[in-house]
Amino acid sequence: AQAEAVRRAAAALPQDSWSLQRTTIAGRWMVYMGRFADVDALARKRAELRELGVSYDRPNNPALEPGLALGRFSTEEAAQRGLGNLTAKGVRTARVVQERPDAPGYLLRLPAVNDALRAQLDTLRPALGNKTLRPCA
């Protein structure tokens, strides 16, 4: 729906000044411990991890709560290596899970923004929601 809104807003820009390309937002993998039975079990596991010198935080996925994220990775293979490193430190019950699957996304390209086009870009802002335009590297 947002891609369609961007297309409609960009239609007011000069022809060939923009393109909207479908892309894939890569999934993310996590070394995870949980779901724990209750807050007491979660507290005990946190204490064990502190003793081992292992950092953790909360999973960003409510379906994995109550649980602990021991690391996030861009590939499953990297997550497996991370798990191996943690196992060497004494972590026993962690496993690799997919925190977020690959998802479709869109990339708005404005290849040649001149002063005249820059003045018109404010018309895109409502369609972009909380996304911002930024220069390409």
Side-chain angles (χ1 to χ4, degrees), residues 3 7 20-26 102-108 131:
R7 271 192 196 93
L20 190 63
Q21 302 165 345
R22 187 178 172 94
T23 186
T24 299
I25 300 167
D102 288 352
Y106 291 87
L107 180 64
L108 175 64
K131 310 278 189 303

Side-chain angles (χ1 to χ4, degrees), residues 1-10 108 122-131:
Q2 186 177 13
E4 206 42 54
V6 169
R7 271 192 196 93
R8 283 192 304 274
L108 175 64
D122 282 341
T123 62
L124 295 175
R125 298 214 191 280
L128 294 174
N130 64 351
K131 310 278 189 303

